[in-house]
Amino acid sequence: MTHATMAPINNHCAVCSEPGKLCGSCENIYYCGFVCQKDDWKVHKLLCRSFKAAREPPGPNMMRVITFPFEASKPEFRWMPIRPGKVQC
């Protein structure tokens, strides 16, 4: 079984792809039930608070990106401007 850490584009469970409900804390990732949520917790707990803190974009045309700073022990979310028509890495 694989683990997903980013929210799917629909309401399907991040673990098994069955229809699900949003995580009650970050409201960013879906789980079909307790078993899948528990199975994914080791991965999701690293990002759940960051998802919650970065839920609302600071302005229009912004996208959330995940970064892995050298000086930090956990990944972080930051907001990046969207440039229409360009591939962004």
Side-chain angles (χ1 to χ4, degrees), residues 58-79:
N61 299 320
M62 300 290 281
M63 68 181 199
R64 185 172 50 188
V65 297
I66 189 168
T67 61
F68 298 89
F70 289 111
E71 68 279 357
S73 61
K74 294 182 179 180
E76 298 175 358
F77 288 102
R78 303 207 178 167
W79 290 100

Side-chain angles (χ1 to χ4, degrees), residues 21-31 37 41 44 48:
K21 294 182 181 180
L22 282 171
C23 169
S25 180
C26 70
E27 297 179 353
N28 196 75
I29 195 162
Y30 291 87
Y31 295 107
Q37 188 173 9
W41 181 241
H44 184 65
C48 189

